[in-house]
Amino acid sequence: MFSTILVRRLGAAINAERHELGPALAGFALFFCLFSGYFMLRPIRESMGIMAGVENLQWLFTATFVVMLVAVPLFAWLSSRVPRIHFVSWVYGFFCLNLLAFAVLFQMSEENVWLARTFYVWISVYNLFVVSVAWSLMADVFDSQQAKRLFAFIAAGASVGGLVGPAMSALLVGLVGESGLVLLAGVLLGIALALKAPLMRWREVGGAGRPGAVKAEISRKPVAGNPFSGLTRVLQSSYLLAIAAFVVLLATVTTFLYFEQARLVAERFPDRDAQIRVFGIIDVIVQAGALLSQLFITGRIAQKLGVRVLLAIVPLLVGVGFIGLALAPTFAMLAALMIVRRIGEYAFVRPGREMLFAPLDAESKYKAKNFIDTVVYRAGDALSGWVKSFLDLLGQGAVLVALVGAGCALLWGALGWYLGRQADEMSRQDAPEATAVVGP
């Protein structure tokens, strides 16, 4: 009796039906493992970016984009030959081996500049791939109506992981060193891989693969298409092109703030331990704020006001913040704006962005989505990195960067409103069929 009441109350708290509770918790745990591992390594990555030279960051962003151009066709080729039910296993298994290799290299030499640059580029690729694949899995498992109710809670697993990861890094780095943290991240990635199996099993009976669900596709077949079908799929769809433009603007705003953060932290905190501490504190604040928003705000906004509000409100706030930065270009103002942007991205923009893919077919969810999440995102990074360097050469300081950033943020918000309205319309079209299958 007590367990029944507990299940009912927990389901009500996270907007889950009784049969959805287990998969929602599995999704939460999967993201917790991914982000715990990544945020253990993130402070190391940031300090290595500074070690490699703040003036070289645009080159590291460009190198990351080039690596993406090579990796994405291989990723698409693999998805065309491996059934979707096994695809995540191949991708995560490959990255587990990568983490093991880096653990060995860090044990051999931690102060090598080229190792620092390689790790910086690699983890930038790693993070986008493992997160993109995880959200592709979620969009495959849950239909569009379930996504609106459950994606905020599932994304909260990332925020909890983002809180636990930096704490584990601070507690364990003195005991196990950087190589030990990399190895532990590999173990957490392996646990995330194990959580994939129950999600795909449930998909066939209670999720997007159930009989009668919108655009159900057999998960035991590979995704259709060729190694370049992600690109062609995007070029053929105005909806996917709009998502790609949304991601480019997101990357531009993020890069402008990131470069300013790196410059100011390098100036004010020359010691490497102090840099890691500053980055860790910002991460903790961001993840705590994102977690509270995901648990109590995001899902309710998505249900009552729609995806369009999730995707537009944060760019509007960031645009206002850029104007504030132009008026008062201080580290405190920049840190506050970084925190607002990152909380908003994790709590509102990222779940809302993933909701855009829930009504689409498997080729869009895996190939087009991965192309947008990796190549398009890193292209936006690389391009905006060089634009930022050009703006710095003009000698106007943070003021000009802030004004350009404000313009990009406002355009980003307008595009988010348009895309969210499109997704809300598709979700309404899917609702009657979903209701007929799972009941009122």
Side-chain angles (χ1 to χ4, degrees):
M1 181 66 178
F2 175 76
S3 61
T4 302
I5 295 173
L6 181 63
V7 168
R8 187 183 302 120
R9 290 184 177 177
L10 181 57
I14 66 173
N15 293 321
E17 302 290 340
R18 184 186 180 95
H19 71 288
E20 298 166 345
L21 187 57
L25 291 172
F28 178 96
L30 187 149
F31 275 93
F32 169 79
C33 291
L34 287 183
F35 277 76
S36 293
Y38 171 66
F39 275 92
M40 278 195 303
L41 304 179
R42 184 184 171 93
I44 300 173
R45 171 209 163 184
E46 307 299 12
S47 66
M48 287 187 174
I50 293 173
M51 175 184 171
V54 174
E55 69 282 1
N56 295 320
L57 282 176
Q58 68 268 26
W59 289 105
L60 294 178
F61 276 43
T62 302
T64 302
F65 172 60
V66 172
V67 172
M68 285 294 187
L69 289 178
V70 176
V72 168
L74 294 175
F75 174 95
W77 174 83
L78 181 66
S79 67
S80 298
R81 283 156 178 77
V82 176
R84 293 206 313 282
I85 197 168
H86 301 306
F87 179 67
V88 177
S89 302
W90 281 75
V91 175
Y92 282 12
F94 170 76
F95 281 116
C96 281
L97 293 175
N98 288 183
L99 287 165
L100 178 61
F102 273 110
V104 173
L105 290 173
F106 279 128
Q107 186 66 32
M108 295 169 60
S109 174
E110 292 185 351
E111 300 299 325
N112 186 291
V113 173
W114 282 104
L115 177 58
R117 291 170 177 167
T118 302
F119 183 76
Y120 187 97
V121 170
W122 176 85
I123 202 170
S124 300
V125 173
Y126 161 82
N127 178 49
L128 285 187
F129 264 103
V130 296
V131 174
S132 177
V133 168
W135 277 116
S136 292
L137 174 66
M138 298 305 153
D140 200 6
V141 168
F142 300 99
D143 64 31
S144 58
Q145 292 296 315
Q146 291 167 331
K148 273 192 173 184
R149 289 185 287 104
L150 301 176
F151 274 14
F153 172 73
I154 290 171
S159 295
V160 176
L163 284 170
V164 172
M168 293 174 67
S169 180
L171 290 172
L172 296 177
V173 68
L175 296 174
V176 300
E178 293 176 347
S179 61
L181 292 177
V182 172
L183 190 61
L184 182 55
V187 172
L188 289 168
L189 181 59
I191 296 173
L193 172 57
L195 289 165
K196 178 265 305 185
L199 281 165
M200 290 302 284
R201 284 197 299 268
W202 179 82
R203 176 194 183 278
E204 302 303 323
V205 295
R210 67 180 185 272
V214 177
K215 295 181 180 177
E217 294 172 279
I218 298 172
S219 63
R220 297 186 179 278
K221 292 183 178 180
V223 179
N226 59 62
F228 300 98
S229 58
L231 169 61
T232 56
R233 195 78 169 194
V234 171
L235 294 177
Q236 292 168 356
S237 167
S238 59
Y239 181 72
L240 292 173
L241 278 172
I243 296 176
F246 180 87
V247 168
V248 168
L249 290 167
L250 163 63
T252 300
V253 169
T254 301
T255 299
F256 280 13
L257 291 174
Y258 181 81
F259 275 40
E260 281 299 303
Q261 174 187 259
R263 181 180 65 82
L264 289 174
V265 169
E267 289 176 358
R268 293 170 180 261
F269 307 97
D271 181 67
R272 183 170 173 180
D273 290 341
Q275 293 168 2
I276 293 176
R277 194 175 302 114
V278 169
F279 290 130
I281 290 171
I282 291 175
D283 282 344
V284 169
I285 295 171
V286 166
Q287 298 306 323
L291 176 61
L292 292 173
S293 300
Q294 288 159 339
L295 291 178
F296 300 110
I297 302 175
T298 307
R300 289 162 178 80
I301 288 179
Q303 284 187 280
K304 294 181 180 180
L305 301 178
V307 180
R308 60 188 181 277
V309 175
L310 288 182
L311 295 180
I313 189 171
V314 175
L316 178 61
L317 292 174
V318 170
V320 172
F322 266 119
I323 294 172
L325 186 62
L327 297 174
T330 64
F331 178 72
M333 177 64 76
L334 176 68
L337 180 53
M338 282 289 292
I339 289 169
V340 168
R341 186 210 61 82
R342 288 180 57 196
I343 289 176
E345 182 179 353
Y346 294 144
F348 301 110
V349 175
R350 189 71 202 227
R353 198 172 112 203
E354 303 309 331
M355 292 174 192
L356 299 176
F357 290 93
L360 306 183
D361 63 347
E363 192 172 358
S364 297
K365 290 175 181 176
Y366 281 87
K367 291 190 175 181
K369 175 177 165 26
N370 180 260
F371 177 79
I372 291 170
D373 287 349
T374 55
V375 172
V376 172
Y377 192 99
R378 288 310 181 200
D381 273 348
L383 178 62
S384 55
W386 288 105
V387 171
K388 170 66 168 60
S389 297
F390 172 74
L391 294 176
D392 289 340
L393 288 175
L394 297 179
Q396 300 301 313
V399 175
L400 180 60
V401 174
L403 291 176
V404 174
C408 291
L410 294 177
L411 183 59
W412 176 32
L415 193 54
W417 182 270
Y418 164 78
L419 282 167
R421 189 173 60 185
Q422 295 285 100
D424 290 333
E425 180 61 30
M426 285 189 285
S427 180
R428 281 193 292 271
Q429 292 172 0
D430 289 352
E433 185 172 357
T435 302
V437 174
V438 301

